[in-house]
Amino acid sequence: MADSKPFSVVIVGGGLVGSLQAIFCAKRGWKVDVYEARHDPRNDKTVSGRSINLALSVRGISALKAAGVEKHILENMIPMKGRLIHSKDGKLSSQPYGIFGECINSVDRMAMNKHLLDSAEMFPNVTLHFNHELLQCDLDSSHATFKKKDGTNLSVTASLVIGADGVHSRTRQQLMRKARIDFSQKYIDHAWVELTIPPTANGEYAMDAHHLHIWPRQTFMMIALPNLDKSFTVTLFMPQSKFDAIATEEDLKTFFRDTFPDSIPHMGEKLLVQEYFKNTKGSLAQIKCRPYHYQDKVVIIGDAAHAMVPFYGQGMNCGMEDCLVLEENLTTHLGPVGSASSRNPNPVHVSAALDAYSAQRNPDVEAMCDLAMYNYVEMRSSVTKAGYLFRKTVEGWLHRLFPTTVIPLYTMVSFSRIPYSEALRRWKRQSSWFDTASLLGKTAVVASVSAAVFALVVGRPVVAFKK
Ligand SMILES: Cc1cc2nc3c(=O)[nH]c(=O)nc-3n(C[C@H](O)[C@H](O)[C@H](O)COP(=O)(O)OP(=O)(O)OC[C@H]3O[C@@H](n4cnc5c(N)ncnc54)[C@H](O)[C@@H]3O)c2cc1C
Ligand SMILES: *[C@@H]1O[C@H](CO)[C@@H](O)[C@H](O)[C@H]1NC(C)=O
Ligand SMILES: *[C@@H]1O[C@H](CO)[C@@H](O)[C@H](O)[C@H]1NC(C)=O
Ligand SMILES: *[C@@H]1O[C@H](CO)[C@@H](O)[C@H](O)[C@H]1NC(C)=O
């Protein structure tokens, strides 16, 4: 068979996940066109995306390694070995993430995106098109229409359309018009705003750079991650009503003095006021849907397929792992990268691979969405409670003794590729053991206290009687 018409993919969205997916597709020898609504971020410094830095962990790193693009990123990230909890009175306490010194890593979103775009563009089969916004996609023919910067339309056809166009995905919207997609969207009441802790006067980090800083305040929290330029990006998460209550500079200063006093000298009130009022207040939603594909024509990945609240630092990691799982499923059904059957696949096999992908990935992604919701409570409140700390300590010991039997949840999610749904199941099982154990513990305490009381109250006359 002559490769007269090569297998071609259109990737919608050149963000973190779309640009990585382009590399995997190029390695299969497919013709790849990436269409990105925004302009090329490599041409300027002022593209304001969401969140300036993010936490990269094992799942994201595994995907970057499989694509062969990890080196530059690993060299330019800042390892964070634990949480550093800031209490109201300025006390600091460190809570390591893993008992074997495992770290999550602060990376610059824009730098990583640029690196992935550069890496994708090195493949002769990849063409990047900026200022192309997807308007419409006809699923049966894989015919996509993009609006260009000059207002004209461009229509293209491809063997497969991959939607990596983020939380407000137009590809998903088009998929939902045609296929039978279950869909749910849930906004949480909390919003966020980004602030900055600049380097100190002598050009150093104002706080420890190898921690993720948290100011947990029960119903809300502030966090900070280090940047390579010695600054920290600070994110304040709180209920919308609390944002609404801060109307003036004085309100803001009072709120910070009462709530996060130790952060003020680092930020400086002037910068705080300036950034707080200027910066966008982001909203937070969770989106679940399934399946993620239509026949052999369209599939969605990354935030387009699943948006989660950011409290586990897994959104991007999960999106990058999507690429990896899709890769494995394509290999199963099409044959390995480099084979003729993979370079020029039979549509029936593509369809089977996408079926497998949707079926396999959905329960994992939804488990992660649920864990991300749960972790907000852990970060803003549980980390300050004795019961939580006790369990964390005991789990740590058990993990050291039985490294594969008892694994703390955070370790399973951030430092392993155990499927998210299995992590959730194992955590629930471990929780029930733990509850039983502490119940037994309490029962033992109650029993011995009762025995002592009995001995005192009832036992004395008995003893007296014996005399
Ligand atoms: C405050 C905050 C903190 C976070 N922290 C972390 C963290 O620490 N760790 C982590 O793993 N994740 C984190 N996340 C999640 C992470 O940002 C996302 O999961 C990740 O950006 C998803 O990548 P994506 O490529 O799927 O989507 P995006 O990054 O949103 O990229 C989508 C791209 O598609 C383009 N696009 C959109 N519509 C169209 C269209 N119609 N046509 C063409 N192009 C289009 C967009 O311009 C964009 O470039 C955080 C999120 C937030 C909000
Ligand atoms: C894609 O790249 C491979 C090598 O990486 C090459 O053999 C093939 O001809 C290219 N295909 C197209 C459509 O450019
Ligand atoms: C571009 O395509 C959209 C959607 O198909 C259509 O509504 C619009 O009229 C087109 N615009 C132009 C200038 O052709
Ligand atoms: C799809 O990939 C997942 C994750 O690697 C794997 O568990 C599953 O068995 C794969 N399914 C097929 C059919 O390849």
Side-chain angles (χ1 to χ4, degrees):
M1 274 269 297
D3 306 58
S4 51
K5 198 157 182 281
F7 191 82
S8 60
V9 291
V10 157
I11 296 178
V12 186
L16 299 174
V17 175
S19 50
L20 179 61
Q21 184 59 45
I23 296 167
F24 281 115
C25 290
K27 289 191 161 180
R28 274 191 196 271
W30 294 351
K31 181 178 178 304
V32 183
D33 288 277
V34 179
Y35 293 91
E36 164 58 51
R38 289 186 294 197
H39 63 267
D40 190 341
R42 296 169 299 177
N43 294 340
D44 72 354
K45 282 185 158 186
T46 58
V47 176
S48 57
R50 288 165 309 131
S51 82
I52 291 161
N53 55 26
L54 331 101
L56 175 69
S57 49
V58 161
R59 295 172 201 263
I61 292 173
S62 306
L64 294 168
K65 281 187 177 161
V69 293
E70 79 287 6
K71 189 169 178 288
H72 177 81
I73 295 167
L74 299 188
E75 286 168 0
N76 286 284
M77 64 190 195
I78 305 169
M80 298 177 288
K81 59 176 186 267
R83 298 168 172 152
L84 198 64
I85 310 292
H86 294 239
S87 68
K88 256 193 202 178
D89 57 14
K91 266 205 218 95
L92 300 177
S93 58
S94 169
Q95 296 181 0
Y97 279 126
I99 62 158
F100 301 116
E102 302 97 319
C103 291
I104 60 172
N105 306 283
S106 179
V107 293
D108 179 322
R109 175 193 290 271
M110 228 357 115
M112 178 157 58
N113 203 162
K114 289 175 183 176
H115 173 66
L116 292 175
L117 290 169
D118 282 340
S119 307
E121 211 170 37
M122 304 232 290
F123 289 88
N125 293 2
V126 176
T127 314
L128 306 178
H129 310 260
F130 293 94
N131 298 306
H132 281 69
E133 180 195 347
L134 180 77
L135 291 179
Q136 208 193 327
C137 180
D138 178 57
L139 300 197
D140 283 316
S141 61
S142 302
H143 187 95
T145 306
F146 295 91
K147 187 170 118 191
K148 297 201 285 184
K149 205 180 180 184
D150 62 10
T152 61
N153 283 353
L154 172 77
S155 284
V156 297
T157 49
S159 316
L160 172 66
V161 174
I162 301 180
D165 46 351
V167 58
H168 302 295
S169 172
R170 182 66 60 80
T171 316
R172 181 183 69 232
Q173 198 189 66
Q174 299 288 300
L175 189 61
M176 286 172 65
R177 284 174 47 160
K178 177 88 190 181
R180 300 195 306 177
I181 308 284
D182 289 333
F183 175 82
S184 75
Q185 173 170 324
K186 183 181 161 65
Y187 275 95
I188 63 168
D189 179 38
H190 292 237
W192 58 279
V193 66
E194 272 181 345
L195 307 166
T196 309
I197 290 181
T200 60
N202 42 18
E204 284 307 315
Y205 284 108
M207 307 180 297
D208 186 307
H210 294 293
H211 278 93
L212 188 151
H213 294 258
I214 312 187
W215 289 258
R217 296 296 180 261
Q218 306 304 320
T219 56
F220 59 97
M221 69 172 183
M222 188 164 83
I223 66 170
L225 277 74
N227 296 311
L228 286 175
D229 69 358
K230 311 270 168 106
S231 67
F232 286 83
T233 300
V234 179
T235 315
L236 171 60
F237 296 94
M238 57 184 190
Q240 186 61 48
S241 57
K242 275 194 129 37
F243 279 105
D244 296 342
I246 299 173
T248 66
E249 286 189 14
E250 237 6 84
D251 293 344
L252 179 67
K253 288 180 189 167
T254 310
F255 172 68
F256 262 75
R257 282 177 202 143
D258 290 348
T259 324
F260 309 116
D262 69 333
S263 72
I264 301 176
H266 298 320
M267 274 190 240
E269 284 192 339
K270 192 163 161 235
L271 183 62
L272 166 64
V273 167
Q274 197 184 321
E275 291 194 317
Y276 179 89
F277 289 105
K278 187 191 78 194
N279 291 354
T280 332
K281 314 293 179 291
S283 54
L284 294 170
Q286 169 182 281
I287 292 176
K288 293 178 175 176
C289 72
R290 75 156 183 228
Y292 303 123
H293 73 293
Y294 177 72
Q295 297 175 358
D296 61 320
K297 304 291 190 201
V298 178
V299 62
I300 52 176
I301 56 175
D303 276 18
H306 45 74
M308 59 189 73
V309 293
F311 306 114
Y312 229 115
Q314 282 293 309
M316 163 193 64
N317 285 287
C318 177
M320 289 180 164
E321 193 182 50
D322 287 353
C323 302
L324 210 46
V325 174
L326 181 58
E327 224 6 59
E328 288 167 27
N329 294 162
L330 286 169
T331 294
T332 305
H333 289 273
L334 312 186
V337 170
S339 63
S341 60
S342 150
R343 200 161 47 245
N344 247 344
N346 181 330
V348 174
H349 297 158
V350 175
S351 180
L354 298 184
D355 278 343
Y357 173 74
S358 273
Q360 178 73 35
R361 196 60 179 150
N362 177 260
D364 287 325
V365 160
E366 296 200 356
M368 191 55 238
C369 288
D370 296 343
L371 286 168
M373 239 1 143
Y374 156 79
N375 210 48
Y376 192 23
V377 181
E378 172 157 331
M379 282 178 90
R380 72 182 192 217
S381 161
S382 313
V383 291
T384 63
K385 305 229 157 85
Y388 167 83
L389 294 172
F390 177 67
R391 174 172 174 174
K392 198 172 151 68
T393 309
V394 173
E395 260 181 359
W397 292 335
L398 292 174
H399 182 45
R400 210 182 279 271
L401 287 171
F402 313 106
T404 55
T405 317
V406 177
I407 312 179
L409 177 63
Y410 196 90
T411 300
M412 290 192 276
V413 170
S414 303
F415 305 131
S416 88
R417 283 206 57 216
I418 294 174
Y420 290 125
S421 59
E422 193 189 325
L424 181 59
R425 255 193 318 275
R426 290 180 69 154
W427 176 59
K428 284 184 175 159
R429 204 164 60 220
Q430 283 167 206
S431 299
S432 66
W433 295 341
F434 198 82
D435 290 346
T436 312
S438 48
L439 190 67
L440 285 176
K442 278 182 200 141
T443 313
V445 170
V446 170
S448 33
V449 169
S450 320
V453 170
F454 184 82
L456 281 172
V457 178
V458 184
R460 201 164 270 155
V462 176
V463 176
F465 188 66
K466 253 190 175 174
K467 256 194 190 167

